[in-house]
Amino acid sequence: MLTNRRHQRSRRAKKAVLLGAGLFVGLQILLLVVVEGWQPLYADPEYGYRLERLRVLRQKNPQRPSLVILGSSRIGNGFDSDYSNSQCLADTSTRSPTVANLSLTGGTAVWQYLVLQRLIRQGLKPDSVIVEILPGSLLSDKQYFTSEFHFPTHRLRWGDTAALATIVPNQAPRHRWEWLQHNALFPWHAHRFSLLGLYAPAWQVESISPSSKPEFWRQTLSRTGWIAFPVAVPTPEQRRDAEAVAKQAYAPVMSTLQVSTEAETTYREIFRCCRDHRIRIAAVLLMPESDVFRSWYSESGQQHVAKFTEAISKEFDIPVVDARTWIAADQFWDGHHLLVSGARAFTTRVHTRLIQPRTTESVAVPVDVLATKPSLVPLR
Amino acid sequence: MLFCSQEFLLFFLIVFGLYWAISHTRFRVYLLLAASFYFYSSWNQWLALIIVGSTIMDFLIAHALERSQRAGIRKALLLLSVSFNLGILAYFKYLNFFLDALFSSLRLMGLETSIPSLEIILPIGISFYTFEAISYTADIYLRRIKAEKSLANFMLFILFFPHLVAGPIVRARDFLPQVSLHKRWSWMRMQFGAELFLLGLIKKLAIADRMAIIADPIFATPGAYGTVSVWLGVLAYSLQIYCDFSGYSDMAIGIAHMFGFKLGVNFRMPYLARNISEFWHRWHISLSSWLRDYIFISLGGSRGTRWLTYRNLMITMALGGLWHGASWPFVFWGVLHAVLLIGHRILRDLCERSIWLVRGLESYAGNGLRMAATFLVVSLGWVLFRAPSMASALEVYRRMFMAVEGAVVPVSVIAFATTLGCIALAHLFGESGLWKRYSQRLPGEALSLGYAGMALAAALLAPASGKAFIYFQF
């Protein structure tokens, strides 16, 4: 009797442990499949919501070509894609494109390449792109190639690690290992902030950066992916503080600015990828900066940037637009992020000079034509 | 290597797999010993040599102690072992504190001196394993146990990785007999171990680390926060320290069970204590019983006059405070608890004179009130424990008891209230025995759902990865 009861309890314990472990592992696999197959939002909320907006735009306007903006928060705030898109849609001819802003916060060359690759993989290859060059990143992007730098692998999907391996081959095994360790083993833990933000916001940790909260992106991104700067007119104190923060972050890099081989390679890879996939590069942009911000450049740094942009313009035959001096200082928050009024002025100019004229041309430019087109002189 | 890290999971799976694959008891001991050494060296390999050295030393002293029949030599050997262990502890943990106190006193006497601060790395778990070693030699001296013949067995007693860095403080008489026993695989034991581990995991990741988000900023800059936030921070810290430390203990006990070892219970729902004396019977039981057996009783315990008992309590608790950390707030925390224990003894004697008062205190309402009062004083004591300095602790107290405006700590009311509710419910279920009664009737499928749910909740609610356990610093 006693042995029988003991045997029953042992069987029950075995079932509880094995089923529990199996269930836990099964749930991990399920989420991994969901993230990899359908829901990039869980891994990278900013990209996920931008992608969602791009999809809607394309579904609504299937006959129109699409123009995608790649870059950092500078172009994310500075380029009012809502305005540009509405101007294009107002044109009844289906030649004018839909315009979507797929810039990412901290979106330097490496991230721009990843976004481009993600779009191609997901069958949302744009017809044309505008690529931002963030001068500071020409030096700082070097960090991605070092073993000390920890890439935020929780934002990646397996396909991204392959794309990353193309541009950062020396760190590829480490990136893949970290991805496996964090994303594949415990996806519920790796994507917990997104999951909590989406399904249990009361349990979201308040102190995490807003960029890790899906709610933040859902609310701040416009229907085309633009982020209108939340402050309309900053007080002098706010601007002074914001500039001090920007100075601390950027001045050391800009005073010693050089073009690292790594950043150069990454940009070339972006342009090569566009050429291979017949994506027209509408322009390469150097975003507006205030006088104060520009004063942090060393003279040699300025020369390095000029030399680099000139070289890529010639090599890939693409228009490089140096817009750094376009906007007055009072239109910035911190010297390099545009306020709404500044963004409107900048977008109008970019739209008129770079996007609108294209509506009369065929947007998908064949490789050979792209290669023989004369490069455009920076607009001043 | 934290218990709640992927690195540990891999380590555990390898050791666990090998352990049960080997059938030979001796080889299992060697395996656990090697694993424990690797576990400790993952923090610092040089400090791992210190623990090995001190363990060998204790082993040899214990043998000499057992062989010797002369009282003088035995006493000298015990003294040697205690001084050796306390010497290591004093050097690594207290040297800077003592130097600081010495030079401050010299300055008070008018002598101009500068304090030399030595860069000493504190070996993790030193307070725990030195106490284990002392209790071993003391028990041999008192002829309570025999000296262990096998060095490997003795080293495993000290180095066994589940309890090595933050307890529970195990006693040789409880642990050593288990080492030589041949262990058989038992699903019931695995289930119990896994259940305890998951309970600890959820306490640590989903409660303690989340409470730290509320408590940390308040204790870092108490002057910035208003009264309500400071009270909230203190409450959050009370929950944090309980869930952090008892979570670690649960995980340690659970892991040990999965290897077939039984470690003593370290926490028994301490916030349900109805007085401070009961609190110490429920909180960090392995330390409080150690302090009772080797300090309080050695000093005479409560056998002498009332004043002698109070003195013994004061010395024991002050040393207990100092054991936690080399700083004055810890000493004051110990003294505060001594005062509370003495106060409780006086109050108990007074109350026992009135039958009506005893009945009132023993009623539901009386018990509830006593629990609340005990929780309140313990929480007030935690301020001394957590504050980085006395000035900071005083600022917290000032802001708690004087209505002050200030910053508000961001807290999700739903999450906070739900967490409190869950803790209260778990305590009620645990204390009343309901959980034990009903969990035995639950089918395996239902239990498995619960286990998967617990693991998932811990993974989802963990606010950050790799936050160390509070008691690692002790």
Side-chain angles (χ1 to χ4, degrees):
Chain A
M1 182 71 179
L2 198 68
T3 321
N4 194 28
R5 193 178 295 166
R6 197 177 163 76
H7 186 64
Q8 270 183 353
R9 280 172 63 192
S10 178
R11 273 181 59 189
R12 177 174 156 273
K14 183 180 178 180
K15 198 184 272 179
V17 172
L18 292 181
L19 259 179
L23 202 60
F24 180 72
V25 172
L27 284 167
Q28 302 300 318
I29 294 170
L30 183 71
L31 183 65
L32 182 66
V33 172
V34 168
V35 174
E36 287 297 307
W38 298 283
Q39 203 49 286
L41 186 68
Y42 295 160
D44 191 344
E46 182 180 7
Y47 173 74
Y49 276 119
R50 288 182 185 278
L51 186 74
E52 207 175 272
R53 279 146 175 77
L54 174 70
R55 277 207 174 110
V56 172
L57 268 180
R58 291 187 62 164
Q59 273 165 10
K60 280 187 181 167
N61 307 281
Q63 72 287 15
R64 286 179 189 269
S66 81
L67 170 70
V68 158
I69 311 295
L70 299 175
S72 68
S73 58
R74 282 181 170 197
I75 206 162
N77 289 136
F79 186 79
D80 179 355
S81 42
D82 282 4
Y83 167 80
S84 183
N85 186 59
S86 62
Q87 291 295 309
C88 287
L89 294 186
D91 175 11
T92 47
S93 78
T94 52
R95 279 179 172 177
S96 33
T98 55
V99 183
N101 200 328
L102 261 92
S103 57
L104 290 180
T105 308
T108 59
V110 170
W111 282 102
Q112 291 176 34
Y113 179 75
L114 284 179
V115 170
L116 188 64
Q117 286 289 339
R118 285 173 178 179
L119 294 177
I120 293 168
R121 270 204 317 276
Q122 282 158 349
L124 288 165
K125 187 187 83 170
D127 297 287
S128 54
V129 289
I130 287 179
V131 178
E132 178 201 353
I133 288 185
L134 188 68
S137 76
L138 290 171
L139 179 64
S140 61
D141 257 15
K142 220 174 154 173
Q143 64 180 328
Y144 292 113
F145 297 76
T146 60
S147 55
E148 292 82 36
F149 183 78
H150 283 280
F151 203 87
T153 38
H154 65 275
R155 287 178 66 181
L156 304 181
R157 296 196 290 168
W158 182 247
D160 292 329
T161 60
L164 202 57
T166 317
I167 48 171
V168 195
N170 63 332
Q171 299 301 322
R174 189 170 65 92
H175 289 148
R176 284 200 170 117
W177 169 244
E178 283 179 3
W179 185 90
L180 283 169
Q181 218 183 343
H182 299 123
N183 296 19
L185 214 53
F186 297 113
W188 287 85
H189 183 68
H191 309 310
R192 63 195 184 282
F193 295 134
S194 306
L195 293 167
L196 288 177
L198 286 165
Y199 305 114
W203 291 86
Q204 182 68 282
V205 177
E206 294 288 334
S207 53
I208 59 163
S209 72
S211 59
S212 299
K213 296 178 179 172
E215 192 62 8
F216 173 80
W217 298 112
R218 200 179 63 77
Q219 285 171 354
T220 49
L221 289 175
S222 77
R223 63 198 160 81
T224 62
W226 176 49
I227 302 175
F229 202 87
V231 180
V233 183
T235 61
E237 291 76 33
Q238 280 178 320
R239 181 170 281 130
R240 193 189 55 223
D241 293 348
E243 278 181 352
V245 173
K247 187 174 183 181
Q248 204 181 2
Y250 291 95
V253 181
M254 289 164 70
S255 61
T256 56
L257 191 61
Q258 285 178 343
V259 180
S260 66
T261 327
E262 292 85 355
E264 202 174 332
T265 313
T266 311
Y267 275 114
R268 279 180 206 287
E269 207 54 54
I270 293 173
F271 303 138
R272 207 169 288 142
C273 173
C274 288
R275 194 172 60 188
D276 293 349
H277 287 89
R278 300 188 168 214
I279 300 166
R280 188 176 65 82
I281 300 166
V284 168
L285 272 177
L286 285 162
M287 285 297 288
E289 290 166 352
S290 71
D291 304 339
V292 176
F293 196 93
R294 273 182 282 121
S295 70
W296 301 335
Y297 282 104
S298 66
E299 201 159 310
S300 62
Q302 292 270 32
Q303 284 166 2
H304 283 303
V305 175
K307 215 169 134 187
F308 170 67
T309 50
E310 205 174 305
I312 54 159
S313 175
K314 271 187 191 154
E315 188 182 336
F316 292 95
D317 204 3
I318 44 178
V320 175
V321 179
D322 186 353
R324 281 181 290 178
T325 54
W326 281 13
I327 306 291
D330 62 346
Q331 301 295 307
F332 290 90
W333 165 252
D334 57 358
H336 66 139
H337 285 102
L338 285 167
L339 301 170
V340 172
S341 52
R344 186 55 52 82
F346 170 71
T347 311
T348 310
R349 207 157 159 187
V350 171
H351 182 82
T352 318
R353 295 195 184 190
L354 292 166
I355 301 172
Q356 212 168 39
R358 297 287 175 185
T359 59
T360 53
E361 299 172 19
S362 164
V363 175
V365 185
V367 180
D368 52 341
V369 177
L370 193 77
T372 53
K373 271 182 159 251
S375 51
L376 295 185
V377 216
L379 299 173
R380 290 196 185 268
Chain B
M1 206 192 303
L2 301 172
F3 284 170
C4 40
S5 68
Q6 291 180 359
E7 201 186 356
F8 179 78
L9 180 73
L10 184 70
F11 163 83
F12 171 76
L13 288 176
I14 294 171
V15 178
F16 182 78
L18 285 173
Y19 183 82
W20 290 109
I22 299 169
S23 56
H24 201 280
T25 306
R26 287 316 298 161
F27 288 148
R28 281 182 176 173
V29 171
Y30 297 137
L31 171 76
L32 284 183
L33 206 51
S36 300
F37 186 75
Y38 174 80
F39 177 79
Y40 196 84
S41 4
S42 68
W43 272 285
N44 190 317
Q45 57 223 32
W46 297 111
L47 295 179
L49 292 177
I50 291 174
I51 186 173
V52 170
S54 74
T55 309
I56 293 171
M57 181 79 174
D58 285 316
F59 177 78
L60 296 173
I61 292 174
H63 268 270
L65 198 58
E66 193 171 64
R67 275 198 306 270
S68 172
Q69 296 302 321
R70 290 173 59 187
I73 293 177
R74 284 174 61 78
K75 200 168 255 180
L77 283 168
L78 175 70
L79 205 66
L80 176 67
S81 168
V82 172
S83 339
F84 173 70
N85 284 296
L86 289 182
I88 293 176
L89 194 61
Y91 173 76
F92 283 104
K93 193 167 174 176
Y94 300 107
L95 190 59
N96 275 326
F97 172 69
F98 291 140
L99 283 174
D100 185 39
L102 174 72
F103 282 85
S104 301
S105 315
L106 288 175
R107 265 207 308 272
L108 278 176
M109 287 189 280
L111 294 167
E112 273 308 307
T113 51
S114 61
I115 306 166
S117 184
L118 306 172
E119 295 285 324
I120 301 170
I121 305 169
L122 181 69
I124 196 159
I126 190 167
S127 310
F128 293 90
Y129 68 71
T130 46
F131 269 35
E132 282 163 358
I134 290 171
S135 74
Y136 173 69
T137 40
D139 282 354
I140 290 172
Y141 175 78
L142 296 168
R143 299 192 195 282
R144 286 177 184 155
I145 53 167
K146 293 235 175 259
E148 173 58 48
K149 289 189 176 64
S150 157
L151 177 62
N153 285 10
F154 178 68
M155 284 185 89
L156 188 63
F157 154 61
I158 299 286
L159 283 164
F160 187 45
F161 71 87
H163 73 71
L164 177 57
V165 288
I169 300 169
V170 284
R171 304 282 182 92
R173 62 168 177 258
D174 298 327
F175 191 87
L176 282 171
Q178 298 183 53
V179 181
S180 321
L181 278 181
H182 182 71
K183 308 208 173 44
R184 287 196 181 153
W185 176 271
S186 155
W187 279 108
M188 283 189 286
R189 200 150 192 184
M190 290 306 134
Q191 183 203 2
F192 184 58
E195 198 174 289
L196 274 177
F197 185 83
L198 285 174
L199 182 68
L201 197 68
I202 214 161
K203 275 184 182 173
K204 165 67 179 161
L205 296 179
I207 304 175
D209 286 358
R210 292 180 80 89
M211 290 299 152
I213 297 171
I214 302 170
D216 284 352
I218 285 167
F219 281 98
T221 50
Y225 291 92
T227 301
V228 176
S229 288
V230 174
W231 270 101
L232 207 60
V234 172
L235 172 64
Y237 184 69
S238 300
L239 298 179
Q240 183 200 348
I241 191 159
Y242 167 58
C243 290
D244 191 288
F245 192 24
S246 74
Y248 178 89
S249 296
D250 290 342
M251 283 192 255
I253 298 167
I255 294 165
H257 263 293
M258 287 191 255
F259 286 101
F261 287 87
K262 190 179 173 190
L263 304 183
V265 175
N266 214 15
F267 289 86
R268 208 178 284 127
M269 288 172 270
Y271 291 151
L272 289 182
R274 287 159 297 181
N275 55 59
I276 199 71
S277 174
E278 189 185 346
F279 173 79
W280 279 104
H281 282 97
R282 289 167 174 263
W283 178 273
H284 201 175
I285 298 165
S286 64
L287 174 73
S288 54
S289 59
W290 195 100
L291 292 173
R292 181 197 62 209
D293 294 349
Y294 297 100
I295 300 181
F296 183 68
I297 291 176
S298 302
L299 289 169
S302 45
R303 287 183 301 249
T305 62
R306 183 185 290 184
W307 291 107
L308 272 177
T309 306
Y310 296 162
R311 184 206 66 175
N312 297 342
L313 267 175
M314 187 59 79
I315 294 171
T316 308
M317 294 311 288
L319 286 175
L322 193 62
W323 176 89
H324 282 88
S327 71
W328 286 112
F330 284 117
V331 179
F332 288 129
W333 174 77
V335 169
L336 170 75
H337 274 271
V339 170
L340 289 171
L341 284 166
I342 294 167
H344 170 249
R345 276 174 179 255
I346 296 169
L347 215 63
R348 189 185 57 193
D349 293 345
L350 285 174
C351 290
E352 275 171 0
R353 289 177 198 165
S354 158
I355 186 78
W356 295 106
L357 201 55
V358 172
R359 278 188 189 163
L361 288 172
E362 291 295 337
S363 67
Y364 278 119
N367 278 330
L369 267 174
R370 286 157 71 201
M371 273 180 211
T374 309
F375 178 70
L376 180 71
V377 290
V378 168
S379 297
L380 290 175
W382 290 134
V383 174
L384 287 168
F385 197 88
R386 173 62 179 84
S389 64
M390 276 309 290
S392 180
L394 291 174
E395 180 63 23
V396 173
Y397 286 133
R398 193 181 74 81
R399 288 187 168 256
M400 283 174 89
F401 295 105
M402 295 171 79
V404 185
E405 297 265 313
V408 177
V409 68
V411 180
S412 160
V413 179
I414 297 175
F416 193 71
T418 312
T419 308
L420 283 183
C422 287
I423 295 172
L425 265 180
H427 272 66
L428 281 178
F429 269 86
E431 184 74 1
S432 61
L434 279 174
W435 170 246
K436 209 170 182 180
R437 204 179 310 152
Y438 287 108
S439 68
Q440 282 171 353
R441 292 183 201 164
L442 283 173
E445 290 84 351
L447 283 173
S448 72
L449 263 178
Y451 296 155
M454 280 168 84
L456 213 59
L460 260 176
L461 295 175
S465 302
K467 192 171 169 65
F469 289 89
I470 295 174
Y471 265 66
F472 277 18
Q473 62 185 300
F474 306 139

